[in-house]
Amino acid sequence: MIKNEIEFILNDELININNVDTNVSVLNYLRINKRLTGTKEGCASGDCGACTAIIAELKNNKLEYKAVNTCIMFLYSLHGKQLITVEHLSNTKLHPVQQSMVDNHGSQCGFCTPGFVMSMFGMYKDKVKPSNQNIDEYLAGNLCRCTGYNSIKKAAKKMYSYGRKDKFSKNENKIIKLLKKIKHNDILISKNNNKFYIPLNLKNLIKYIQNNKHYKFVTGGTDIALEVTKKNNTINSLIYLGNNKDLNYIKIKRNYINIGSATPINKIIPILKKYYPSFAEMFYRYGSTQIRNVASIGGNLGSASPIGDSLPALLALNAKLILQSKNQRLLGIKYFFKAYRKTALKNNEFIKEIRIPILKNHIFKCYKISKRIDDDISSLFVAYLIKLRNNIIIDVNIAYGGMDSIPNFAFKTQKYLIGKELNLKNIEKSKQIIEKDFNPLTDVRASSYYRKLVSKNLMDRLFLEINNNKVRI
Amino acid sequence: MQSNNLFSIKKEHESSKKHVSGKAKYIDDILEPKNLLHGAIGYSTIAKGKIKKIDLSEVINSKGVEKVITYRDIPGVNDVGPVFKGDPIFIENNIEYYGQPIFAVAAKTNELARKAVKKVKIQYLEKKPILDIKQAIKKKSFVLKPVKICKGNAINEIKKSKHTLEGELYSGGQDHFYLEGQISMTIPQEDNNFLIYASTQHPSETQQIVAKSINQKFNSIKVKVRRIGGGFGGKETQSFIFSVISTLLSKHTNKPVKLKIDRDDDMIITGKRHDFYYKYKVGFREDGCINGLKITLASRCGFSPDLSGAINDRAIFHIDNAYYIPTIDLISYRCKTNTVSNTAFRGFGGPQGMYCIENIVENISEFLKIDSSIVRKNNFYQKNTKNITHYGMKIEDNIINDIFDHLIKQSNYKKRRKDIINFNNKNRILKKGISITPVKFGISFTTTHLNQGGALVHIYTDGSIHLNHGGIEMGQGLMTKISQIAANEFGVSLKDIKISSTHTEKVPNTSASAASASTDINGGAVIDAINKIKKNIEIYISKKFKYKGKIIYKNNKVYFGKQKIDFKKLISNAYFERISLSASGFYKTPKIFFDNKNFKGRPFLYFAYGAAVSEVIIDTLTGENKLIRVDILHDVGNSINSSIDIGQIEGGYVQGLGWLTNEEISWNSKGQILTHSPSTYKIPVSNDIPEKFYVKIYKKGKNKENVVNRSKAVGEPPLMLAISAFMALKNATSNKQLKAPANPENILMAINR
């Protein structure tokens, strides 16, 4: 059975809707249709966080709260969720995070403030310890031009002192009940010749794409939504994968981490922390909390951006991909990237799963270099996978982002290093070879010269870190 | 001025509760009038040339479009230039920058308006643009004439000096990145009048320029501003064009029109901080004391003058920062380039002047191998000698020596510097740096006539007070401070004071909220208005109670002689006795004058001072860097509201930090701006500020001049404290020729040069 409307909870009101355009963002719906203007538009590209709101989802009979950028989230992807906006935080009394912001002078012009309040509210609901590091992690997606952040960070540090229980803890059961009432069906919304399809499961998805053309997949929407908000284009047919349980999972199986392609980055980090801490550390600098909460690993791969951060890491790790159309096929990731933003995906084929091998005897390191430490796109990115036996390199992968039109290996350098002893002399030599592997371009993020120089220098960092030197700022 | 417990307190921002709950209204949040249309602007996609052919037919026929306008549809003046002409609303013929508006549409929705604009077909005749400062100097391409200043014979002094240094420097541009983008909504009124809600720092000039553009009298235009979501100078003049276009569209359609600019378009269309090129030669003594300075300042003004004259003047005024420079030979070029017209930005040229001299002093220290804090001290202005600036102003309020000494002690600078030298000797890859730099910033508009403000104060019969003044609330806490001033004067509590908005109907002919002086000027005007009302009350009291003498307003009561009466009761009684309880007030800054021709005079009423110590660590493999600790000691005089002042200091520092580290504007070879969104233009985030961020107000601070509460302006000065972070990075790279912005790439280049 296919339904033709979505259901979600806006603050505490159950909403059934199908009469707005399929390209409408959550932000525009809030501001224009519902006249809830507390949520602001600062950039309409998911970079400034002024539009931050919270989504609550039912997970294991509990509510899971996630901050999102409403400016780049399609309204119909709210199906089955609760959306909490700043207007809903307080009634007669301010919420603890709001009161803390007032008392610590966290607002000046006030325009970014609702976004900060919502990000902080997300942190509050996660019951995270308000250390500097955690605060930076939760607030990296919110820009403030007035305060210089010090007062905002103080507010975050003190928010729990205003009470650890809020009205949401009290209302949790009521919301859970409401969410449980929402039926999960296939949903297809057609409006002005535009379509928005939410498949219930993998089977239905496969069937749908056999019979449709020119659709675009959307999970977090953090990339594709910009087509609408920035280029003013209309996307006629969208398929939303965010609710699809068959694509949203992490399983450890036979020395592989198997990740469903629609799994958000933030869900993957804890597993990576265990097996590849350097990968996890990098992922904390991937976009912002709002982005990582919804952006999927499959979307990151599918966009095939030469500077997409997880791509070189997966390349170095020899990840495998399960590509799905009517049938499945297994493809080594090194065969996936064909040309600038072109992949091996055929028509009506999509990424179903990413398999990351668990390599216990290898050293894995990756380094992201960007202008700004947090929430910035890499100038360059490198991932190393090395296996040593008696200090001899017996296996090596070096994969770069930002150095070529696709994420790619440093083939010549790899070839040189195989069989060599890991010592300063050989590292020095390998640096000269890297230069022959790539001819990167100059753009707003970095010059070709800088990219080359740093790609070499990072070999030094790798060598020093393998030898347990502390060389990070 | 009487003192009361409403001064020198920590008081939260008047709108803070509304900010945190989403209830504070910005223009896009105002309940939209019926039949509202939405505007969008079509702009040039080349930097220089002419329009050969333009085809708007598809735009006109696009869904939802009600009107398309070009320069032909402007009934009045096609110019939004504030001081000088040269900023067309729409291009008539010559294209002067990529992003220059050509036409605008009004459509039923914002989306339809933006979609329509894309459908234009333009054939250009492209010409080669001038894109950088050096090229402009070479071609003598200037928006205004160069300015020369000489004090003594600098060339001779340099020649006679034991040491000389020369070199070139650069400082970068900066986008304002106010979180609320440019926006304006015009609502037609009767008699062809218009009400404009504008996100502007300057309602009066918005009124004037809109009126001229539609060829109407100023009194037919009303501009209203409750608050704006950040300005920083970016809405001092750059907002005008949007109000003009929303009004033109409104006039042509006779419907209300909202023009909300997309963030990318905002960054493409509007001006930024001037980037500068500097060339210097300096002669100095063994102790680092400067004997003479020959200096060229050249800035990218963009295609039009806008405020560039005053901005470059302010760079000249601050080329000394806190240092006595006995002889100087200076030339300032105001370069015309085919880029967006650069404009006011917090500091208004001051930061660019200071950045230059601080680099020179740093280079002198490096040359002499002396701790730069010592060279800085050796060059400071003194109290009774060495106290005349290069523009002939005597500095009467110098406290920089004391602030500097305090901060050196308070921050433990000397020990930390030693520790850093040790750390750097031991570490090959990671290096640390530390620096202390001073700030001396002149307060007043350097264009003397702008130093005036107005206010309108009413007391209603229930004793509640309503007031308006000429200043704009843009986050700086102006309304909070002014409320405190008014409450204090009447001895009532803050909740009895209401400041509704800034409105050209209430207070006319105001100056922009700029130059840090809004509290001084508008606070002064409010006090003047209140004094007039008090005079009326005095007459009433003397008649009614046969009392002549001091009247004290305190704790919601009015005391005279041995009597006291509730303020509310007194007001009510006075009303029945037909006493006027309303007055307008006016303030003009005293003492200031300036002779532009000879560049001599007293452009500033006073100076604000401060100093900062910044400590950084860099990775010499990648140029990645981190601020470890910042200590600030800043002078705000006798603070009216210390929590607001601390907020200005912290925010100013971090904005300056962005300017000098990560924020970088780039263009391609055709003059197209490449950094037009927050995905490529990176302002600081939470993680960029140091864990140890110690900000203190200079306790002994007291304004020598008669400014309300003896406080000092605080908007702009703290931005320049961030020069210490740049110098610390320079220090960590072993003082090579580090180029601003000191992003990882420029740091690595400095190390590897």
Side-chain angles (χ1 to χ4, degrees):
Chain A
M1 200 191 96
I2 290 196
K3 275 178 67 176
N4 68 350
E5 62 178 18
I6 66 151
E7 275 183 280
F8 73 101
I9 302 169
L10 174 57
N11 294 326
D12 49 12
E13 175 196 3
L14 189 68
I15 291 197
N16 298 55
I17 187 165
N18 63 4
N19 64 349
V20 302
D21 192 85
T22 57
N23 281 196
V24 161
S25 66
V26 172
L27 178 65
N28 281 342
Y29 169 77
L30 288 173
R31 294 185 57 84
I32 298 166
N33 298 58
K34 301 304 282 187
R35 283 218 44 80
L36 289 171
T37 55
T39 312
K40 309 295 181 199
E41 179 187 307
C43 69
S45 56
D47 292 299
C48 80
C51 67
T52 305
I54 296 287
I55 279 180
E57 280 181 282
L58 199 54
K59 289 274 154 76
N60 308 323
N61 242 353
K62 274 194 168 163
L63 289 181
E64 201 177 84
Y65 295 87
K66 311 198 274 203
V68 296
N69 287 316
T70 58
C71 69
I72 50 169
M73 172 171 267
F74 293 114
L75 172 68
Y76 290 119
S77 56
L78 287 178
H79 179 67
K81 303 170 179 107
Q82 181 195 16
L83 177 71
I84 303 167
T85 68
V86 69
E87 289 88 351
H88 193 53
L89 282 203
S90 51
N91 20 39
T92 49
K93 221 177 127 204
L94 292 179
H95 187 276
V97 302
Q98 292 174 315
Q99 193 59 51
S100 191
M101 278 288 271
V102 170
D103 292 350
N104 291 291
H105 312 283
S107 72
Q108 286 185 20
C109 86
F111 198 84
C112 72
T113 314
F116 271 96
V117 164
M118 295 314 281
S119 285
M120 225 179 267
F121 170 62
M123 183 172 173
Y124 176 94
K125 295 312 286 180
D126 282 356
K127 300 186 170 68
V128 176
K129 192 178 144 226
S131 63
N132 266 309
Q133 199 187 341
N134 287 339
I135 292 168
D136 290 343
E137 182 196 322
Y138 275 82
L139 299 185
N142 292 81
L143 299 178
C144 170
R145 195 54 152 165
C146 296
T147 63
Y149 303 99
N150 211 25
S151 53
I152 296 174
K153 289 168 94 160
K154 268 184 202 151
K157 278 177 194 163
K158 290 182 185 163
M159 65 183 174
Y160 294 117
S161 69
Y162 293 85
R164 286 185 176 259
K165 283 226 160 108
D166 59 4
K167 72 172 195 183
F168 299 91
S169 347
K170 285 178 200 150
N171 280 342
E172 184 155 350
N173 286 332
K174 207 178 113 198
I175 296 295
I176 289 175
K177 261 187 205 161
L178 263 179
L179 284 177
K180 279 184 175 168
K181 273 189 195 161
I182 297 173
K183 294 244 160 52
H184 285 273
N185 295 78
D186 260 31
I187 296 173
L188 180 64
I189 289 163
S190 296
K191 173 86 185 159
N192 309 330
N193 297 325
N194 296 332
K195 286 192 281 192
F196 196 97
Y197 175 56
I198 308 178
L200 177 67
N201 53 33
L202 188 62
K203 208 179 88 196
N204 297 357
L205 169 63
I206 294 166
K207 207 169 121 193
Y208 183 85
I209 62 172
Q210 302 306 321
N211 301 318
N212 283 276
K213 276 182 189 166
H214 308 302
Y215 51 80
K216 292 243 159 93
F217 290 116
V218 52
T219 308
T222 54
D223 193 24
I224 194 172
L226 273 67
E227 278 291 316
V228 178
T229 63
K230 287 294 148 182
K231 294 189 182 157
N232 298 309
N233 290 330
T234 302
I235 308 172
N236 300 111
S237 176
L238 285 162
I239 302 177
Y240 177 62
L241 305 177
N243 284 11
N244 202 313
K245 289 203 174 62
D246 293 343
L247 293 174
N248 199 327
Y249 56 85
I250 301 170
K251 292 173 194 158
I252 306 288
K253 221 172 166 184
R254 285 189 221 100
N255 282 329
Y256 276 92
I257 309 168
N258 296 347
I259 306 170
S261 60
T263 310
I265 304 288
N266 258 353
K267 288 280 169 203
I268 303 168
I269 295 178
I271 298 286
L272 287 176
K273 231 180 191 169
K274 196 172 157 197
Y275 296 102
Y276 299 113
S278 172
F279 200 156
E281 188 193 319
M282 180 281 293
F283 256 160
Y284 278 120
R285 290 172 53 201
Y286 178 104
S288 58
T289 294
Q290 290 95 316
I291 299 289
R292 293 191 300 270
N293 274 337
V294 291
S296 66
I297 188 162
N300 190 219
L301 265 173
S303 71
S305 163
I307 42 174
D309 283 337
S310 71
L311 280 48
L314 294 170
L315 203 56
L317 285 167
N318 296 320
K320 288 175 181 155
L321 308 177
I322 293 187
L323 307 182
Q324 174 88 49
S325 57
K326 235 178 190 169
N327 303 308
Q328 283 189 356
R329 63 176 171 133
L330 190 71
L331 186 77
I333 192 168
K334 63 180 166 184
Y335 305 109
F336 186 68
F337 306 109
K338 292 290 182 196
Y340 178 71
R341 285 186 176 264
K342 287 250 154 54
T343 69
L345 281 170
K346 294 176 186 157
N347 271 344
N348 294 339
E349 193 177 42
F350 60 90
I351 305 165
K352 197 235 158 198
E353 184 177 289
I354 294 100
R355 295 185 173 175
I356 305 173
I358 299 169
L359 303 165
K360 288 189 176 139
N361 299 319
H362 283 68
I363 296 161
F364 177 80
K365 295 260 178 207
C366 61
Y367 304 131
K368 169 174 175 158
I369 307 299
S370 54
K371 263 191 184 175
R372 191 173 71 191
I373 297 285
D374 274 344
D375 194 4
D376 196 0
I377 293 165
S378 302
S379 320
L380 80 155
F381 184 99
V382 60
Y384 303 98
L385 183 76
I386 291 181
K387 193 172 180 182
L388 294 172
R389 189 177 293 150
N390 302 327
N391 211 33
I392 303 291
I393 300 167
I394 58 167
D395 188 16
V396 59
N397 275 353
I398 304 174
Y400 281 95
M403 295 289 283
D404 204 345
S405 58
I406 55 170
N408 214 345
F409 290 108
F411 287 109
K412 290 179 183 131
T413 316
Q414 289 175 180
K415 198 174 156 198
Y416 168 78
L417 283 172
I418 278 282
K420 297 279 190 320
E421 192 182 346
L422 182 71
N423 60 28
L424 201 57
K425 201 186 101 213
N426 288 330
I427 288 288
E428 278 305 317
K429 197 80 189 281
S430 75
K431 284 161 69 178
Q432 291 159 26
I433 299 169
I434 290 177
E435 199 151 344
K436 292 175 193 151
D437 269 314
F438 296 106
N439 190 17
L441 27 96
T442 293
D443 63 14
V444 291
R445 299 201 167 86
S447 68
S448 174
Y449 181 78
Y450 177 77
R451 288 185 161 113
K452 276 189 202 165
L453 182 58
V454 174
S455 67
K456 289 191 267 183
N457 285 354
L458 288 174
M459 290 296 293
D460 286 328
R461 183 192 276 183
L462 174 75
F463 179 72
L464 289 163
E465 286 200 342
I466 289 177
N467 291 299
N468 294 319
N469 289 295
K470 248 196 105 198
V471 286
R472 305 292 281 278
I473 54 165
Chain B
M1 258 168 271
Q2 51 207 138
S3 87
N4 178 311
N5 58 1
L6 285 176
F7 272 156
S8 314
I9 55 162
K10 293 182 175 180
K11 181 78 200 159
E12 75 271 11
H13 192 284
E14 42 84 22
S15 286
S16 61
K17 286 184 179 138
K18 288 180 276 184
H19 290 155
V20 298
S21 50
K23 287 176 187 153
K25 298 264 183 258
Y26 302 81
I27 291 170
D28 200 30
D29 306 335
I30 296 170
L31 189 63
E32 291 175 347
K34 260 196 171 163
N35 302 325
L36 178 75
L37 297 178
H38 298 263
I41 296 174
Y43 53 73
S44 146
T45 53
I46 63 163
K48 191 179 179 185
K50 286 182 194 297
I51 296 172
K52 214 155 88 187
K53 208 177 148 196
I54 179 163
D55 177 0
L56 287 162
S57 55
E58 277 190 49
V59 182
I60 293 163
N61 294 325
S62 188
K63 192 179 160 193
V65 170
E66 298 213 357
K67 183 74 195 172
V68 179
I69 56 169
T70 67
Y71 72 91
R72 289 194 179 89
D73 303 293
I74 300 167
V77 184
N78 181 15
D79 207 308
V80 294
V83 186
F84 307 97
K85 290 225 175 300
D87 294 281
I89 303 161
F90 297 125
I91 292 166
E92 286 184 29
N93 194 12
N94 285 325
I95 294 166
E96 302 211 76
Y97 77 99
Y98 169 90
Q100 193 167 19
I102 300 174
F103 67 98
V105 307
K108 288 216 158 65
T109 70
N110 190 307
E111 186 197 341
L112 290 173
R114 289 181 186 177
K115 281 190 165 155
V117 159
K118 279 176 66 187
K119 295 178 182 166
V120 69
K121 287 181 186 132
I122 304 177
Q123 284 177 21
Y124 294 107
L125 202 77
E126 234 177 310
K127 285 186 194 162
K128 206 170 177 282
I130 295 177
L131 295 174
D132 72 70
I133 298 172
K134 278 186 179 172
Q135 203 185 351
I137 299 174
K138 214 169 146 191
K139 295 200 165 164
K140 294 202 164 64
S141 168
F142 303 125
V143 292
L144 296 164
K145 273 191 214 148
V147 171
K148 277 186 190 181
I149 296 183
C150 270
K151 175 192 174 192
N153 192 337
I155 309 294
N156 238 341
E157 288 302 314
I158 295 168
K159 235 183 239 165
K160 287 196 313 204
S161 291
K162 181 156 187 209
H163 303 292
T164 59
L165 269 179
E166 56 190 312
E168 292 181 333
L169 299 160
Y170 301 87
S171 63
Q174 185 176 28
D175 191 275
H176 302 83
F177 212 87
Y178 27 68
L179 262 288
E180 179 201 31
Q182 299 277 0
I183 183 166
S184 172
M185 180 162 75
T186 302
I187 302 171
Q189 316 275 294
E190 61 181 42
D191 294 331
N192 252 330
N193 287 7
F194 294 95
L195 166 65
I196 303 170
Y197 292 93
S199 184
T200 183
Q201 291 170 246
H202 203 342
S204 281
E205 202 159 22
T206 304
Q207 173 196 26
Q208 294 152 15
I209 285 176
V210 167
K212 285 184 207 162
S213 78
I214 56 174
N215 204 15
Q216 290 185 186
K217 289 207 168 80
F218 294 177
N219 67 8
S220 68
I221 307 295
K222 293 182 270 190
V223 180
K224 189 175 174 181
V225 186
R226 168 59 184 93
R227 63 171 67 79
I228 67 177
F232 316 113
K235 295 170 183 170
E236 184 170 344
T237 62
Q238 301 294 298
S239 57
F240 299 156
I241 192 166
F242 305 108
S243 290
V244 166
I245 292 175
S246 68
T247 308
L248 283 168
L249 289 168
S250 181
K251 189 177 169 74
H252 281 286
T253 56
N254 203 25
K255 285 181 182 172
V257 174
K258 190 195 279 185
L259 181 61
K260 173 174 133 184
I261 305 301
D262 168 66
R263 173 64 60 182
D264 289 56
D265 288 347
D266 186 323
M267 294 177 83
I268 289 168
I269 296 171
T270 65
K272 302 162 201 323
R273 186 188 291 286
H274 293 62
D275 45 329
F276 269 66
Y277 160 73
Y278 319 84
K279 196 171 168 193
Y280 71 91
K281 188 164 186 185
V282 62
F284 51 98
R285 305 192 316 214
E286 200 61 45
D287 61 357
C289 269
I290 294 172
N291 294 326
L293 177 66
K294 182 177 170 13
I295 181 101
T296 303
L297 302 174
S299 75
R300 175 203 301 276
C301 300
F303 79 98
S304 77
D306 182 69
L307 300 169
S308 293
I311 291 165
N312 283 277
D313 285 354
R314 195 171 266 271
I316 298 173
F317 287 128
H318 289 85
I319 194 69
D320 58 343
N321 193 9
Y323 308 117
Y324 176 70
I325 304 173
T327 64
I328 193 162
D329 188 316
L330 179 150
I331 186 154
S332 155
Y333 294 112
R334 291 96 202 263
C335 299
K336 176 172 176 167
T337 52
N338 293 108
T339 47
V340 64
S341 187
N342 282 337
T343 191
F345 196 138
R346 202 175 192 172
F348 204 73
Q352 292 95 318
M354 280 187 206
Y355 167 86
C356 175
I357 192 67
E358 288 302 334
N359 268 286
I360 292 169
V361 174
E362 193 75 25
N363 292 349
I364 291 173
S365 316
E366 169 64 11
F367 175 85
L368 295 170
K369 303 285 174 217
I370 307 177
D371 175 358
S372 62
S373 74
I374 294 164
V375 175
R376 288 193 161 89
K377 277 184 72 164
N378 289 345
N379 278 293
F380 277 157
Y381 281 111
Q382 299 302 318
K383 278 251 156 74
N384 302 313
T385 57
K386 293 174 146 192
N387 59 0
I388 311 281
T389 66
H390 53 294
Y391 45 90
M393 177 170 169
K394 187 174 171 190
I395 300 172
E396 296 165 344
D397 59 5
N398 185 5
I399 48 170
I400 193 60
N401 294 279
D402 192 43
I403 286 186
F404 212 69
D405 289 344
H406 258 92
L407 186 63
I408 284 184
K409 254 192 226 149
Q410 191 180 302
S411 65
N412 209 5
Y413 170 84
K414 284 184 183 156
K415 176 168 187 299
R416 285 164 62 200
R417 190 172 177 273
K418 267 190 204 144
D419 292 347
I420 284 172
I421 294 170
N422 277 334
F423 177 92
N424 289 347
N425 285 335
K426 282 187 198 140
N427 286 276
R428 187 171 64 88
I429 307 291
L430 302 181
K431 300 283 178 190
K432 287 185 179 178
I434 190 167
S435 186
I436 175 168
T437 59
V439 167
K440 169 189 123 285
F441 191 79
I443 304 298
S444 295
F445 287 97
T446 58
T447 307
T448 304
H449 77 264
L450 296 175
N451 295 286
Q452 55 173 307
L456 179 63
V457 179
H458 309 316
I459 311 177
Y460 295 106
T461 52
D462 65 349
S464 67
I465 294 156
H466 182 279
L467 71 89
N468 296 93
H469 59 85
I472 294 290
E473 174 59 40
M474 46 189 165
Q476 84 280 46
L478 177 63
M479 299 307 187
T480 317
K481 283 186 175 177
I482 300 266
S483 296
Q484 284 176 256
I485 292 169
N488 196 60
E489 288 295 317
F490 280 126
V492 298
S493 66
L494 276 173
K495 57 180 192 301
D496 291 322
I497 310 286
K498 171 91 189 169
I499 304 180
S500 55
S501 66
T502 312
H503 199 316
T504 53
E505 264 186 348
K506 300 289 183 90
V507 179
N509 313 328
T510 56
S511 293
S513 286
S516 305
S518 301
T519 304
D520 296 7
I521 288 175
N522 297 295
V526 166
I527 290 173
D528 182 47
I530 290 174
N531 284 340
K532 286 180 188 167
I533 298 174
K534 280 183 173 174
K535 202 143 249 171
N536 297 345
I537 294 175
E538 194 185 313
I539 292 167
Y540 162 73
I541 288 176
S542 77
K543 269 192 185 162
K544 176 95 184 174
F545 299 95
K546 310 281 178 261
Y547 172 82
K548 275 200 163 116
K550 208 175 170 196
I551 300 171
I552 294 165
Y553 294 78
K554 215 171 127 183
N555 303 328
N556 299 307
K557 289 189 175 61
V558 182
Y559 298 82
F560 47 96
K562 284 180 182 151
Q563 306 190 59
K564 65 174 179 184
I565 181 166
D566 274 355
F567 180 76
K568 283 175 189 169
K569 181 95 177 115
L570 176 81
I571 293 302
S572 163
N573 292 347
Y575 164 75
F576 285 109
E577 294 296 324
R578 297 188 291 171
I579 298 294
S580 167
L581 297 169
S582 170
S584 67
F586 186 75
Y587 176 86
K588 56 178 182 179
T589 310
K591 294 188 182 178
I592 50 173
F593 64 94
F594 197 67
D595 168 8
N596 249 318
K597 218 168 159 192
N598 297 304
F599 219 83
K600 285 258 172 323
R602 176 178 182 158
F604 307 117
L605 180 60
Y606 61 91
F607 294 94
Y609 299 86
V613 177
S614 297
E615 182 182 340
V616 299
I617 185 164
I618 63 169
D619 178 345
T620 58
L621 293 176
T622 60
E624 289 169 300
N625 57 88
K626 196 161 177 57
L627 250 182
I628 299 171
R629 174 172 164 180
V630 173
D631 296 74
I632 291 172
L633 186 59
H634 194 77
D635 159 42
V636 296
N638 188 28
S639 174
I640 293 176
N641 184 328
S642 58
S643 53
I644 280 180
D645 287 345
I646 295 255
Q648 288 298 298
I649 297 167
E650 291 175 350
Y653 178 92
V654 173
Q655 204 168 61
L657 179 73
W659 168 51
L660 292 172
T661 59
N662 261 343
E663 294 180 37
E664 187 168 35
I665 295 167
S666 39
W667 289 271
N668 68 12
S669 60
K670 291 187 147 189
Q672 181 177 354
I673 188 165
L674 300 173
T675 43
H676 50 72
S677 92
S679 68
T680 45
Y681 185 78
K682 295 300 190 185
I683 70 167
V685 290
S686 168
N687 177 36
D688 293 317
I689 72 162
E691 273 185 37
K692 295 172 183 167
F693 196 0
Y694 308 126
V695 178
K696 288 212 163 74
I697 288 174
Y698 180 60
K699 279 210 181 104
K700 289 189 258 172
K702 197 170 179 182
N703 200 335
K704 267 193 73 158
E705 301 302 329
N706 188 13
V707 170
V708 57
N709 202 40
R710 299 280 167 178
S711 69
K712 284 190 181 181
V714 69
E716 291 163 294
L719 182 130
M720 288 147 271
L721 296 168
I723 294 172
S724 62
F726 182 85
M727 294 307 154
L729 288 164
K730 195 163 158 143
N731 182 244
T733 59
S734 307
N735 282 334
K736 298 271 175 47
Q737 293 301 306
L738 178 62
K739 201 175 149 184
N743 57 27
E745 173 156 356
N746 283 340
I747 289 171
L748 195 63
M749 294 304 118
I751 295 164
N752 285 279
R753 193 160 279 147

